[in-house]
């Protein structure tokens, strides 16, 4: 009997169970899944594709390829070529002439771009840190959340995403799009934020701020 069967059996049983045996059964599997260093990007992408996260992804070589990747995504989603671009100086060298750029993000902004500090292969999470060049609010009001993350910045486990030393004023973690189910069982996607998450993995190193 595996851990799942033991739990289900206990729920339907009228006799007391052995807590020690049940606890040991839950610990048969390792607490953390094994993740090879060379497979972190693939493990992260596999998590993104899970129904519970429901994110799409793309890969680019350099920052110069970013506008083209976002243009492709907008065309596929039927979005106008309009985008909130954070005031991050690292993005200034790319050619954004094909877009109408918004300096502020309105409620239900069609698309916003953000840069994640890292991704987590174990969970498919993205880690963001606030800064003057990385405001937080736009990432919660858009319909389409487009996130750039450096492939080499993907870590294996959640605890590895926490850096020692001084911390930013706030940082937040995003694992897929939010959702809720109403009393009739209808699933609503993007109940508390964007409805769509699109992750672009950058193969080249990001310049330092």
């Amino acid at each position: 009997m595996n851990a799942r069967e033991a739990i289900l059996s206990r729920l339907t049983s009228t006799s007391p169970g052995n807590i020690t045996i049940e606890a040991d059964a839950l610990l048969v599997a390792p607490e953390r899944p094994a993740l090879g260093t060379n497979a972190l990007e693939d493990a992260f992408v596999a998590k993104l594709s899970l129904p519970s996260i429901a994110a799409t992804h793309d890969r680019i070589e350099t920052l110069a390829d970013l506008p083209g990747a976002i243009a492709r995504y907008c065309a596929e989603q039927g979005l106008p070529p309009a985008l909130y671009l954070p005031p991050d100086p690292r993005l200034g060298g790319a050619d954004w002439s094909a877009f109408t750029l918004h300096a502020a993000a309105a409620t239900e902004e069609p698309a916003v771009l953000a840069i994640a500090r890292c991704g987590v292969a174990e969970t498919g999470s993205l880690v963001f840190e606030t800064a003057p060049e990385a405001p937080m609010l736009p990432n919660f009001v858009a319909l389409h959340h487009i996130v750039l993350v450096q492939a080499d910045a993907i870590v294996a486990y959640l605890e590895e995403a926490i850096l020692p030393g001084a911390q930013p004023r706030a940082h937040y973690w995003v694992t897929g799009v939010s959702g809720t189910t109403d009393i009739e069982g209808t699933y609503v996607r993007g109940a508390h934020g964007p409805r769509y998450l699109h992750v672009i993995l950058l193969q080249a190193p990001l310049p330092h701020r």
Side-chain angles (χ1 to χ4, degrees):
M1 179 181 295
N2 60 32
R4 180 177 181 275
E5 291 168 342
I7 293 171
L8 293 176
S9 175
R10 180 72 183 87
L11 291 174
T12 57
S13 174
T14 57
S15 61
N18 189 312
I19 298 300
T20 301
I21 293 175
E22 293 178 6
D24 289 342
L26 293 173
L27 297 176
V28 170
E31 184 177 354
R32 301 193 306 179
L35 294 169
T37 303
N38 297 329
L40 293 183
E41 184 177 345
D42 289 340
F44 177 69
V45 167
K47 288 291 184 181
L48 294 180
S49 64
L50 292 176
S52 57
I53 296 181
T56 55
H57 76 279
D58 196 358
R59 289 182 170 93
I60 59 174
E61 291 297 324
T62 69
L63 272 178
D65 302 320
L66 182 58
I70 296 176
R72 287 195 303 273
Y73 176 77
C74 289
E76 291 168 359
Q77 299 295 321
L79 297 173
L83 180 70
Y84 166 79
L85 197 69
D88 192 314
R90 295 175 294 181
L91 299 172
D95 180 8
W96 300 101
S97 59
F99 289 87
T100 299
L101 299 180
H102 298 165
T107 302
E108 295 195 348
E109 184 78 16
V112 304
L113 174 65
I115 298 177
R117 177 172 61 75
C118 69
V120 183
E122 178 185 11
T123 59
S125 302
L126 294 155
V127 180
F128 300 87
E129 295 178 343
T130 56
E133 63 274 17
M136 179 168 57
L137 182 60
N139 300 309
F140 293 94
V141 300
L143 295 177
H144 293 259
H145 193 196
I146 303 172
V147 178
L148 178 71
V149 63
Q150 186 178 320
D152 285 350
I154 296 171
V155 299
Y157 303 109
L158 289 168
E159 57 267 37
E160 295 176 9
I162 302 173
L163 295 178
Q167 297 295 314
R169 183 173 181 85
H171 62 282
Y172 52 100
W173 303 47
V174 171
T175 308
V177 296
S178 67
T180 188
T181 302
D182 64 18
I183 196 170
E184 295 180 351
T186 301
Y187 176 71
V188 179
R189 183 174 178 172
H192 311 291
R195 294 181 188 171
Y196 304 95
L197 174 63
H198 183 62
V199 180
I200 300 176
L201 294 114
L202 175 65
Q203 305 302 310
L206 265 171
H208 293 293
R209 285 176 176 169

